[in-house]
Amino acid sequence: MPESTAVSSTMAAMLLVGHGGVEQLHYRKDVKTPLPGPGDVLVQVTATAKNNTDRKAREGLYPTKEKGDVTSFAMGGTPTLTFPRIQGADVAGRIVAVGEGVDAERIGQRGLLDFNIYADERRDINLTPDYYGHGADGGYAEYIAVPADQFHSIDNPELRDAELAAMGMCSYQTAYHMMTSAHIKAGERVLVSGASGGVGTALIQLCRIVGAVPYAVSQPDKAAALQALGAEAVIDRGDLPTFVERVLEATGGKPIDAVMDLVGGEMTDLFIDTMIVDMQHRQSYPRLSIAGASGGNLSEIMWTRIYLYQVQIFGVSHGTREEAEQLIAWIRRGELKPVLHAAFKLSELHDAERYFVNRGSNYLGKIVIVPDAQWDTHGAPFALTNAQEQRL
């Protein structure tokens, strides 16, 4: 039997019962509380960051063969998203029980989940990505059972639980893996698309940590906030025919060394254009890491441009144990900062989903979901302002 403090046998949770709209998310208060198995810990959830992958998985927007397929991850060959499923990958909370083989002294520790479901023990590679909230139940609930070695203790008193969740691995590890895949080095100019979202704001900070120079693609009214995070300049998507010219103006005419693409669609070809100017003075191959397709799942690119200019393209999904542990070390040392936009109650996840899709120009960073029982302590200080609520 697991060692634990008093835990109710049932809990509140939001269940995803099928592919579709927010009506497929059902709030229940009688869901069986999970038990920690051997090597596991039971975490009382205090906050879980919302990610775009929650919506995309719910709507079945992960086709890999037929572009119109309604499906989700099946990287290991068999679909792992089954219904009902509790979503939510970026979990912060406190250990309240431990399974066999786990030191009972861990009870009471606050921490952050490495959201990956790893297929094996390799630390340097992750070929069949899956994650909590998709292939196993996640954090849109009062409790979650996870491997003890993937729940990393964080005792930084300057970070509130909602802020800690906003620094979750789904965004930060994806961002870091985009950079490690493209071998980003100090001094390189890196173009960051979708810069105001969770992965984008993580990329800006991580570039500065490794000494690279990030150029953000976002709306002008977010420029001050993004520059405060570390962006060298902020380029508006604006008029597409002048986009490349405006990027080069920001860099002083020097080519972008690598692009971190979260947009796809018609922008990807323009991103490549920012890298293949003045090739004779480049110090490295042009590199493009892509980890999203918010601007469209199909792009028209001339392959002659790719191989003649030797553009290296890296598809990125999730990351490795090594990268997760490096990120945790930076968080513990206070070298990464949370970018938390607002908190919602778990019972109001429908509102959070609608707000996320229709977010306005002042949106920056992450939304977190807080169990109703934890709201007064961990959610209320970060509730939406009246002006923000008007957009629900």
Side-chain angles (χ1 to χ4, degrees):
M1 293 290 294
E3 297 193 51
S4 67
T5 57
V7 176
S8 172
S9 61
T10 60
M11 65 177 183
M14 188 68 76
L15 301 181
L16 177 65
V17 298
H19 287 306
V22 294
E23 73 280 355
Q24 298 285 41
L25 293 165
H26 294 187
Y27 186 61
R28 297 271 300 274
K29 295 183 178 181
D30 59 351
V31 178
K32 185 177 180 180
T33 302
L35 292 174
D40 290 345
V41 293
L42 181 68
V43 175
Q44 184 176 42
V45 178
T46 52
T48 300
K50 172 161 176 41
N51 292 290
N52 200 34
T53 191
D54 300 326
R55 176 189 64 84
K56 295 181 72 173
R58 168 170 53 80
E59 296 181 3
L61 300 181
Y62 285 111
T64 56
K65 293 183 179 179
E66 297 296 328
K67 61 185 179 182
D69 283 351
V70 176
T71 187
S72 196
F73 281 79
M75 300 300 102
T78 303
T80 60
L81 176 60
T82 57
F83 304 111
R85 173 66 76 222
I86 299 171
Q87 294 187 289
D90 286 334
V91 180
R94 286 166 174 76
I95 296 174
V96 293
V98 298
E100 181 183 348
V102 181
D103 191 339
E105 290 188 2
R106 293 207 62 184
I107 293 175
Q109 286 184 357
R110 182 183 76 151
L112 182 65
L113 175 67
D114 172 359
F115 77 123
N116 289 282
I117 299 174
Y118 294 108
D120 54 42
E121 295 300 316
R122 288 193 62 174
R123 294 173 44 78
D124 62 333
I125 198 167
N126 183 6
L127 291 177
T128 55
D130 201 357
Y131 60 96
Y132 286 90
H134 182 275
D137 285 338
Y140 290 162
E142 292 184 303
Y143 297 95
I144 181 176
V146 296
D149 64 352
Q150 286 182 230
F151 190 75
H152 298 277
S153 63
I154 307 286
D155 58 9
N156 184 341
E158 295 182 4
L159 287 175
R160 304 280 291 272
D161 285 35
E163 294 173 316
L164 183 58
M167 304 175 75
M169 296 293 108
C170 190
S171 290
Y172 278 79
Q173 192 186 40
T174 298
Y176 190 41
H177 193 50
M178 293 177 81
M179 293 171 56
T180 59
S181 296
H183 307 290
I184 300 300
K185 301 186 293 295
E188 292 193 312
R189 293 173 294 277
V190 179
L191 189 67
V192 177
S193 72
S196 64
V199 179
T201 53
L203 279 164
I204 290 170
Q205 295 188 64
L206 290 166
C207 280
R208 289 301 185 183
I209 282 181
V210 303
V213 183
Y215 291 84
V217 180
S218 190
Q219 297 165 309
D221 53 5
K222 298 179 182 178
L226 293 173
Q227 287 177 302
L229 274 180
E232 185 75 7
V234 177
I235 301 100
D236 184 11
R237 283 184 58 177
D239 180 38
L240 293 187
T242 67
F243 176 76
V244 176
E245 177 183 332
R246 288 183 283 112
V247 171
L248 295 176
E249 181 180 356
T251 65
K254 297 177 181 178
I256 292 292
D257 293 299
V259 173
M260 305 291 106
D261 187 2
L262 301 165
V263 175
E266 63 184 345
M267 292 301 296
T268 297
D269 205 39
L270 294 173
F271 293 153
I272 292 170
D273 280 340
T274 69
M275 296 190 289
I276 62 176
V277 295
D278 197 22
M279 289 294 292
Q280 64 270 32
H281 293 115
R282 289 189 62 94
Q283 301 299 311
S284 60
Y285 293 119
R287 287 149 285 152
L288 183 143
S289 283
I290 185 161
S294 62
N297 202 29
L298 300 176
S299 302
E300 184 174 294
I301 300 172
M302 295 175 61
W303 284 114
T304 48
R305 282 160 47 81
I306 301 300
Y307 70 75
L308 291 176
Y309 287 105
Q310 302 185 83
V311 178
Q312 299 178 338
I313 300 177
F314 304 91
V316 172
S317 181
H318 302 189
T320 68
R321 294 178 189 270
E322 288 179 345
E323 291 162 344
E325 290 166 4
Q326 175 62 79
L327 288 164
I328 291 295
W330 283 329
I331 292 171
R332 285 172 174 161
R333 295 199 295 264
E335 295 184 51
L336 290 170
K337 305 298 181 184
V339 186
L340 173 57
H341 181 73
F344 285 79
K345 290 181 180 179
L346 177 61
S347 63
E348 298 172 352
L349 184 59
H350 287 197
D351 288 339
E353 292 280 357
R354 285 189 285 264
Y355 182 83
F356 183 81
V357 170
N358 299 309
R359 55 194 185 271
S361 61
N362 74 331
Y363 184 93
L364 189 75
K366 302 290 288 187
I367 287 173
V368 299
I369 308 301
V370 175
D372 292 37
Q374 303 287 338
W375 177 255
D376 289 346
T377 300
H378 298 294
F382 305 101
L384 288 174
T385 65
N386 289 336
Q388 292 171 322
E389 288 174 346
Q390 290 175 6
R391 291 200 304 276
L392 284 177

PDB file of all heavy atoms in Angstrom, residues 188-223:
ATOM      1  N   GLU A 188      24.420  33.830 -32.194  1.00  0.00           N
ATOM      2  CA  GLU A 188      23.605  33.633 -33.382  1.00  0.00           C
ATOM      3  C   GLU A 188      22.296  34.420 -33.286  1.00  0.00           C
ATOM      4  O   GLU A 188      21.734  34.608 -32.203  1.00  0.00           O
ATOM      5  CB  GLU A 188      23.324  32.148 -33.595  1.00  0.00           C
ATOM      6  CG  GLU A 188      24.567  31.363 -33.979  1.00  0.00           C
ATOM      7  CD  GLU A 188      24.252  29.975 -34.483  1.00  0.00           C
ATOM      8  OE1 GLU A 188      23.462  29.269 -33.825  1.00  0.00           O
ATOM      9  OE2 GLU A 188      24.807  29.592 -35.540  1.00  0.00           O
ATOM     10  N   ARG A 189      21.817  34.845 -34.451  1.00  0.00           N
ATOM     11  CA  ARG A 189      20.551  35.564 -34.550  1.00  0.00           C
ATOM     12  C   ARG A 189      19.437  34.546 -34.795  1.00  0.00           C
ATOM     13  O   ARG A 189      19.480  33.800 -35.780  1.00  0.00           O
ATOM     14  CB  ARG A 189      20.601  36.590 -35.685  1.00  0.00           C
ATOM     15  CG  ARG A 189      21.589  37.733 -35.426  1.00  0.00           C
ATOM     16  CD  ARG A 189      21.739  38.647 -36.632  1.00  0.00           C
ATOM     17  NE  ARG A 189      22.362  37.930 -37.760  1.00  0.00           N
ATOM     18  CZ  ARG A 189      23.670  37.760 -37.902  1.00  0.00           C
ATOM     19  NH1 ARG A 189      24.518  38.239 -37.005  1.00  0.00           N
ATOM     20  NH2 ARG A 189      24.147  37.089 -38.949  1.00  0.00           N
ATOM     21  N   VAL A 190      18.458  34.550 -33.901  1.00  0.00           N
ATOM     22  CA  VAL A 190      17.387  33.552 -33.946  1.00  0.00           C
ATOM     23  C   VAL A 190      16.044  34.260 -34.092  1.00  0.00           C
ATOM     24  O   VAL A 190      15.711  35.129 -33.283  1.00  0.00           O
ATOM     25  CB  VAL A 190      17.387  32.685 -32.674  1.00  0.00           C
ATOM     26  CG1 VAL A 190      16.263  31.659 -32.721  1.00  0.00           C
ATOM     27  CG2 VAL A 190      18.745  31.988 -32.495  1.00  0.00           C
ATOM     28  N   LEU A 191      15.296  33.897 -35.121  1.00  0.00           N
ATOM     29  CA  LEU A 191      13.966  34.454 -35.333  1.00  0.00           C
ATOM     30  C   LEU A 191      12.939  33.559 -34.662  1.00  0.00           C
ATOM     31  O   LEU A 191      12.893  32.350 -34.914  1.00  0.00           O
ATOM     32  CB  LEU A 191      13.672  34.572 -36.827  1.00  0.00           C
ATOM     33  CG  LEU A 191      12.398  35.335 -37.214  1.00  0.00           C
ATOM     34  CD1 LEU A 191      12.530  36.815 -36.853  1.00  0.00           C
ATOM     35  CD2 LEU A 191      12.114  35.175 -38.705  1.00  0.00           C
ATOM     36  N   VAL A 192      12.110  34.150 -33.799  1.00  0.00           N
ATOM     37  CA  VAL A 192      11.119  33.406 -33.018  1.00  0.00           C
ATOM     38  C   VAL A 192       9.732  33.814 -33.481  1.00  0.00           C
ATOM     39  O   VAL A 192       9.316  34.960 -33.287  1.00  0.00           O
ATOM     40  CB  VAL A 192      11.267  33.684 -31.510  1.00  0.00           C
ATOM     41  CG1 VAL A 192      10.184  32.950 -30.726  1.00  0.00           C
ATOM     42  CG2 VAL A 192      12.662  33.287 -31.033  1.00  0.00           C
ATOM     43  N   SER A 193       8.998  32.894 -34.109  1.00  0.00           N
ATOM     44  CA  SER A 193       7.622  33.184 -34.506  1.00  0.00           C
ATOM     45  C   SER A 193       6.678  32.874 -33.350  1.00  0.00           C
ATOM     46  O   SER A 193       7.052  32.188 -32.400  1.00  0.00           O
ATOM     47  CB  SER A 193       7.242  32.375 -35.749  1.00  0.00           C
ATOM     48  OG  SER A 193       7.087  31.009 -35.421  1.00  0.00           O
ATOM     49  N   GLY A 194       5.455  33.400 -33.416  1.00  0.00           N
ATOM     50  CA  GLY A 194       4.498  33.157 -32.335  1.00  0.00           C
ATOM     51  C   GLY A 194       5.071  33.524 -30.985  1.00  0.00           C
ATOM     52  O   GLY A 194       4.885  32.818 -29.993  1.00  0.00           O
ATOM     53  N   ALA A 195       5.766  34.654 -30.929  1.00  0.00           N
ATOM     54  CA  ALA A 195       6.619  34.955 -29.783  1.00  0.00           C
ATOM     55  C   ALA A 195       5.866  35.279 -28.503  1.00  0.00           C
ATOM     56  O   ALA A 195       6.453  35.241 -27.422  1.00  0.00           O
ATOM     57  CB  ALA A 195       7.559  36.116 -30.132  1.00  0.00           C
ATOM     58  N   SER A 196       4.578  35.587 -28.575  1.00  0.00           N
ATOM     59  CA  SER A 196       3.860  35.980 -27.363  1.00  0.00           C
ATOM     60  C   SER A 196       3.253  34.798 -26.620  1.00  0.00           C
ATOM     61  O   SER A 196       2.747  34.962 -25.507  1.00  0.00           O
ATOM     62  CB  SER A 196       2.750  36.977 -27.709  1.00  0.00           C
ATOM     63  OG  SER A 196       1.767  36.368 -28.536  1.00  0.00           O
ATOM     64  N   GLY A 197       3.282  33.606 -27.205  1.00  0.00           N
ATOM     65  CA  GLY A 197       2.717  32.426 -26.556  1.00  0.00           C
ATOM     66  C   GLY A 197       3.692  31.765 -25.604  1.00  0.00           C
ATOM     67  O   GLY A 197       4.803  32.267 -25.359  1.00  0.00           O
ATOM     68  N   GLY A 198       3.283  30.617 -25.074  1.00  0.00           N
ATOM     69  CA  GLY A 198       4.103  29.939 -24.077  1.00  0.00           C
ATOM     70  C   GLY A 198       5.444  29.483 -24.608  1.00  0.00           C
ATOM     71  O   GLY A 198       6.484  29.686 -23.973  1.00  0.00           O
ATOM     72  N   VAL A 199       5.478  28.845 -25.788  1.00  0.00           N
ATOM     73  CA  VAL A 199       6.748  28.393 -26.362  1.00  0.00           C
ATOM     74  C   VAL A 199       7.574  29.595 -26.815  1.00  0.00           C
ATOM     75  O   VAL A 199       8.792  29.629 -26.626  1.00  0.00           O
ATOM     76  CB  VAL A 199       6.501  27.426 -27.535  1.00  0.00           C
ATOM     77  CG1 VAL A 199       7.831  26.973 -28.141  1.00  0.00           C
ATOM     78  CG2 VAL A 199       5.709  26.207 -27.080  1.00  0.00           C
ATOM     79  N   GLY A 200       6.918  30.595 -27.387  1.00  0.00           N
ATOM     80  CA  GLY A 200       7.640  31.772 -27.864  1.00  0.00           C
ATOM     81  C   GLY A 200       8.335  32.525 -26.750  1.00  0.00           C
ATOM     82  O   GLY A 200       9.516  32.894 -26.869  1.00  0.00           O
ATOM     83  N   THR A 201       7.627  32.769 -25.640  1.00  0.00           N
ATOM     84  CA  THR A 201       8.258  33.483 -24.527  1.00  0.00           C
ATOM     85  C   THR A 201       9.361  32.642 -23.897  1.00  0.00           C
ATOM     86  O   THR A 201      10.362  33.185 -23.414  1.00  0.00           O
ATOM     87  CB  THR A 201       7.203  33.874 -23.469  1.00  0.00           C
ATOM     88  OG1 THR A 201       6.454  32.715 -23.071  1.00  0.00           O
ATOM     89  CG2 THR A 201       6.246  34.922 -24.024  1.00  0.00           C
ATOM     90  N   ALA A 202       9.198  31.312 -23.913  1.00  0.00           N
ATOM     91  CA  ALA A 202      10.279  30.444 -23.428  1.00  0.00           C
ATOM     92  C   ALA A 202      11.497  30.539 -24.330  1.00  0.00           C
ATOM     93  O   ALA A 202      12.640  30.620 -23.856  1.00  0.00           O
ATOM     94  CB  ALA A 202       9.786  28.998 -23.353  1.00  0.00           C
ATOM     95  N   LEU A 203      11.290  30.553 -25.644  1.00  0.00           N
ATOM     96  CA  LEU A 203      12.399  30.647 -26.595  1.00  0.00           C
ATOM     97  C   LEU A 203      13.200  31.928 -26.396  1.00  0.00           C
ATOM     98  O   LEU A 203      14.438  31.908 -26.453  1.00  0.00           O
ATOM     99  CB  LEU A 203      11.870  30.583 -28.027  1.00  0.00           C
ATOM    100  CG  LEU A 203      11.550  29.194 -28.574  1.00  0.00           C
ATOM    101  CD1 LEU A 203      10.684  29.293 -29.821  1.00  0.00           C
ATOM    102  CD2 LEU A 203      12.835  28.431 -28.877  1.00  0.00           C
ATOM    103  N   ILE A 204      12.512  33.027 -26.177  1.00  0.00           N
ATOM    104  CA  ILE A 204      13.223  34.294 -25.988  1.00  0.00           C
ATOM    105  C   ILE A 204      14.160  34.195 -24.790  1.00  0.00           C
ATOM    106  O   ILE A 204      15.337  34.567 -24.855  1.00  0.00           O
ATOM    107  CB  ILE A 204      12.215  35.441 -25.816  1.00  0.00           C
ATOM    108  CG1 ILE A 204      11.486  35.712 -27.142  1.00  0.00           C
ATOM    109  CG2 ILE A 204      12.919  36.713 -25.332  1.00  0.00           C
ATOM    110  CD1 ILE A 204      10.312  36.660 -27.016  1.00  0.00           C
ATOM    111  N   GLN A 205      13.655  33.682 -23.682  1.00  0.00           N
ATOM    112  CA  GLN A 205      14.482  33.576 -22.480  1.00  0.00           C
ATOM    113  C   GLN A 205      15.628  32.587 -22.665  1.00  0.00           C
ATOM    114  O   GLN A 205      16.768  32.845 -22.247  1.00  0.00           O
ATOM    115  CB  GLN A 205      13.616  33.140 -21.305  1.00  0.00           C
ATOM    116  CG  GLN A 205      12.561  34.146 -20.898  1.00  0.00           C
ATOM    117  CD  GLN A 205      11.873  33.737 -19.616  1.00  0.00           C
ATOM    118  OE1 GLN A 205      12.489  33.657 -18.550  1.00  0.00           O
ATOM    119  NE2 GLN A 205      10.584  33.450 -19.715  1.00  0.00           N
ATOM    120  N   LEU A 206      15.329  31.449 -23.293  1.00  0.00           N
ATOM    121  CA  LEU A 206      16.355  30.429 -23.459  1.00  0.00           C
ATOM    122  C   LEU A 206      17.458  30.870 -24.405  1.00  0.00           C
ATOM    123  O   LEU A 206      18.635  30.530 -24.211  1.00  0.00           O
ATOM    124  CB  LEU A 206      15.713  29.126 -23.950  1.00  0.00           C
ATOM    125  CG  LEU A 206      14.831  28.415 -22.914  1.00  0.00           C
ATOM    126  CD1 LEU A 206      13.976  27.350 -23.586  1.00  0.00           C
ATOM    127  CD2 LEU A 206      15.690  27.808 -21.814  1.00  0.00           C
ATOM    128  N   CYS A 207      17.097  31.631 -25.434  1.00  0.00           N
ATOM    129  CA  CYS A 207      18.133  32.186 -26.313  1.00  0.00           C
ATOM    130  C   CYS A 207      19.115  33.028 -25.513  1.00  0.00           C
ATOM    131  O   CYS A 207      20.336  32.908 -25.668  1.00  0.00           O
ATOM    132  CB  CYS A 207      17.496  33.030 -27.424  1.00  0.00           C
ATOM    133  SG  CYS A 207      16.814  32.092 -28.803  1.00  0.00           S
ATOM    134  N   ARG A 208      18.601  33.871 -24.658  1.00  0.00           N
ATOM    135  CA  ARG A 208      19.478  34.738 -23.861  1.00  0.00           C
ATOM    136  C   ARG A 208      20.334  33.927 -22.889  1.00  0.00           C
ATOM    137  O   ARG A 208      21.501  34.261 -22.657  1.00  0.00           O
ATOM    138  CB  ARG A 208      18.638  35.776 -23.113  1.00  0.00           C
ATOM    139  CG  ARG A 208      18.035  36.846 -24.004  1.00  0.00           C
ATOM    140  CD  ARG A 208      19.098  37.628 -24.756  1.00  0.00           C
ATOM    141  NE  ARG A 208      18.527  38.736 -25.521  1.00  0.00           N
ATOM    142  CZ  ARG A 208      19.240  39.542 -26.311  1.00  0.00           C
ATOM    143  NH1 ARG A 208      20.555  39.348 -26.446  1.00  0.00           N
ATOM    144  NH2 ARG A 208      18.660  40.521 -26.970  1.00  0.00           N
ATOM    145  N   ILE A 209      19.782  32.850 -22.350  1.00  0.00           N
ATOM    146  CA  ILE A 209      20.562  32.028 -21.418  1.00  0.00           C
ATOM    147  C   ILE A 209      21.785  31.438 -22.120  1.00  0.00           C
ATOM    148  O   ILE A 209      22.885  31.377 -21.538  1.00  0.00           O
ATOM    149  CB  ILE A 209      19.684  30.917 -20.812  1.00  0.00           C
ATOM    150  CG1 ILE A 209      18.794  31.495 -19.714  1.00  0.00           C
ATOM    151  CG2 ILE A 209      20.531  29.787 -20.241  1.00  0.00           C
ATOM    152  CD1 ILE A 209      17.896  30.488 -19.039  1.00  0.00           C
ATOM    153  N   VAL A 210      21.618  30.997 -23.376  1.00  0.00           N
ATOM    154  CA  VAL A 210      22.743  30.381 -24.087  1.00  0.00           C
ATOM    155  C   VAL A 210      23.567  31.415 -24.865  1.00  0.00           C
ATOM    156  O   VAL A 210      24.553  31.050 -25.512  1.00  0.00           O
ATOM    157  CB  VAL A 210      22.268  29.262 -25.037  1.00  0.00           C
ATOM    158  CG1 VAL A 210      21.483  28.217 -24.273  1.00  0.00           C
ATOM    159  CG2 VAL A 210      21.467  29.808 -26.206  1.00  0.00           C
ATOM    160  N   GLY A 211      23.159  32.676 -24.816  1.00  0.00           N
ATOM    161  CA  GLY A 211      23.941  33.731 -25.458  1.00  0.00           C
ATOM    162  C   GLY A 211      23.535  34.063 -26.874  1.00  0.00           C
ATOM    163  O   GLY A 211      24.210  34.862 -27.539  1.00  0.00           O
ATOM    164  N   ALA A 212      22.431  33.476 -27.364  1.00  0.00           N
ATOM    165  CA  ALA A 212      21.932  33.809 -28.699  1.00  0.00           C
ATOM    166  C   ALA A 212      21.085  35.078 -28.638  1.00  0.00           C
ATOM    167  O   ALA A 212      20.684  35.529 -27.558  1.00  0.00           O
ATOM    168  CB  ALA A 212      21.117  32.659 -29.268  1.00  0.00           C
ATOM    169  N   VAL A 213      20.817  35.665 -29.812  1.00  0.00           N
ATOM    170  CA  VAL A 213      20.097  36.934 -29.889  1.00  0.00           C
ATOM    171  C   VAL A 213      18.731  36.693 -30.539  1.00  0.00           C
ATOM    172  O   VAL A 213      18.652  36.443 -31.739  1.00  0.00           O
ATOM    173  CB  VAL A 213      20.888  37.975 -30.708  1.00  0.00           C
ATOM    174  CG1 VAL A 213      20.159  39.315 -30.706  1.00  0.00           C
ATOM    175  CG2 VAL A 213      22.308  38.124 -30.159  1.00  0.00           C
ATOM    176  N   PRO A 214      17.631  36.759 -29.750  1.00  0.00           N
ATOM    177  CA  PRO A 214      16.312  36.454 -30.300  1.00  0.00           C
ATOM    178  C   PRO A 214      15.629  37.670 -30.919  1.00  0.00           C
ATOM    179  O   PRO A 214      15.627  38.767 -30.344  1.00  0.00           O
ATOM    180  CB  PRO A 214      15.534  35.979 -29.070  1.00  0.00           C
ATOM    181  CG  PRO A 214      16.153  36.725 -27.932  1.00  0.00           C
ATOM    182  CD  PRO A 214      17.608  36.922 -28.285  1.00  0.00           C
ATOM    183  N   TYR A 215      15.039  37.469 -32.095  1.00  0.00           N
ATOM    184  CA  TYR A 215      14.214  38.477 -32.754  1.00  0.00           C
ATOM    185  C   TYR A 215      12.793  37.914 -32.784  1.00  0.00           C
ATOM    186  O   TYR A 215      12.556  36.831 -33.329  1.00  0.00           O
ATOM    187  CB  TYR A 215      14.722  38.758 -34.163  1.00  0.00           C
ATOM    188  CG  TYR A 215      16.049  39.468 -34.183  1.00  0.00           C
ATOM    189  CD1 TYR A 215      17.241  38.746 -34.071  1.00  0.00           C
ATOM    190  CD2 TYR A 215      16.125  40.851 -34.287  1.00  0.00           C
ATOM    191  CE1 TYR A 215      18.473  39.394 -34.070  1.00  0.00           C
ATOM    192  CE2 TYR A 215      17.353  41.514 -34.283  1.00  0.00           C
ATOM    193  CZ  TYR A 215      18.517  40.774 -34.181  1.00  0.00           C
ATOM    194  OH  TYR A 215      19.736  41.430 -34.175  1.00  0.00           O
ATOM    195  N   ALA A 216      11.852  38.636 -32.200  1.00  0.00           N
ATOM    196  CA  ALA A 216      10.498  38.130 -32.002  1.00  0.00           C
ATOM    197  C   ALA A 216       9.562  38.584 -33.118  1.00  0.00           C
ATOM    198  O   ALA A 216       9.606  39.747 -33.537  1.00  0.00           O
ATOM    199  CB  ALA A 216       9.957  38.607 -30.658  1.00  0.00           C
ATOM    200  N   VAL A 217       8.722  37.680 -33.584  1.00  0.00           N
ATOM    201  CA  VAL A 217       7.663  38.018 -34.528  1.00  0.00           C
ATOM    202  C   VAL A 217       6.363  38.044 -33.734  1.00  0.00           C
ATOM    203  O   VAL A 217       5.913  37.023 -33.216  1.00  0.00           O
ATOM    204  CB  VAL A 217       7.565  36.992 -35.672  1.00  0.00           C
ATOM    205  CG1 VAL A 217       6.445  37.391 -36.641  1.00  0.00           C
ATOM    206  CG2 VAL A 217       8.893  36.883 -36.402  1.00  0.00           C
ATOM    207  N   SER A 218       5.776  39.242 -33.617  1.00  0.00           N
ATOM    208  CA  SER A 218       4.564  39.394 -32.828  1.00  0.00           C
ATOM    209  C   SER A 218       3.915  40.721 -33.178  1.00  0.00           C
ATOM    210  O   SER A 218       4.351  41.422 -34.089  1.00  0.00           O
ATOM    211  CB  SER A 218       4.881  39.323 -31.329  1.00  0.00           C
ATOM    212  OG  SER A 218       3.698  39.231 -30.560  1.00  0.00           O
ATOM    213  N   GLN A 219       2.887  41.078 -32.414  1.00  0.00           N
ATOM    214  CA  GLN A 219       2.180  42.324 -32.650  1.00  0.00           C
ATOM    215  C   GLN A 219       2.926  43.484 -32.005  1.00  0.00           C
ATOM    216  O   GLN A 219       3.536  43.331 -30.940  1.00  0.00           O
ATOM    217  CB  GLN A 219       0.758  42.227 -32.090  1.00  0.00           C
ATOM    218  CG  GLN A 219      -0.094  41.174 -32.775  1.00  0.00           C
ATOM    219  CD  GLN A 219      -1.352  40.851 -31.990  1.00  0.00           C
ATOM    220  OE1 GLN A 219      -1.298  40.577 -30.796  1.00  0.00           O
ATOM    221  NE2 GLN A 219      -2.490  40.876 -32.670  1.00  0.00           N
ATOM    222  N   PRO A 220       2.871  44.669 -32.602  1.00  0.00           N
ATOM    223  CA  PRO A 220       3.627  45.813 -32.074  1.00  0.00           C
ATOM    224  C   PRO A 220       3.277  46.167 -30.636  1.00  0.00           C
ATOM    225  O   PRO A 220       4.147  46.610 -29.879  1.00  0.00           O
ATOM    226  CB  PRO A 220       3.258  46.946 -33.042  1.00  0.00           C
ATOM    227  CG  PRO A 220       2.838  46.280 -34.305  1.00  0.00           C
ATOM    228  CD  PRO A 220       2.197  44.991 -33.887  1.00  0.00           C
ATOM    229  N   ASP A 221       2.003  45.975 -30.238  1.00  0.00           N
ATOM    230  CA  ASP A 221       1.632  46.374 -28.883  1.00  0.00           C
ATOM    231  C   ASP A 221       2.171  45.417 -27.820  1.00  0.00           C
ATOM    232  O   ASP A 221       1.998  45.657 -26.629  1.00  0.00           O
ATOM    233  CB  ASP A 221       0.118  46.532 -28.748  1.00  0.00           C
ATOM    234  CG  ASP A 221      -0.668  45.316 -29.200  1.00  0.00           C
ATOM    235  OD1 ASP A 221      -0.032  44.299 -29.529  1.00  0.00           O
ATOM    236  OD2 ASP A 221      -1.903  45.388 -29.238  1.00  0.00           O
ATOM    237  N   LYS A 222       2.833  44.351 -28.240  1.00  0.00           N
ATOM    238  CA  LYS A 222       3.482  43.449 -27.291  1.00  0.00           C
ATOM    239  C   LYS A 222       4.991  43.650 -27.261  1.00  0.00           C
ATOM    240  O   LYS A 222       5.703  42.930 -26.562  1.00  0.00           O
ATOM    241  CB  LYS A 222       3.152  41.998 -27.644  1.00  0.00           C
ATOM    242  CG  LYS A 222       1.658  41.683 -27.570  1.00  0.00           C
ATOM    243  CD  LYS A 222       1.371  40.245 -27.938  1.00  0.00           C
ATOM    244  CE  LYS A 222      -0.129  39.977 -27.899  1.00  0.00           C
ATOM    245  NZ  LYS A 222      -0.471  38.607 -28.287  1.00  0.00           N
ATOM    246  N   ALA A 223       5.464  44.622 -28.019  1.00  0.00           N
ATOM    247  CA  ALA A 223       6.910  44.808 -28.180  1.00  0.00           C
ATOM    248  C   ALA A 223       7.604  45.083 -26.851  1.00  0.00           C
ATOM    249  O   ALA A 223       8.652  44.495 -26.546  1.00  0.00           O
ATOM    250  CB  ALA A 223       7.193  45.926 -29.180  1.00  0.00           C
TER     251      ALA A 223
END
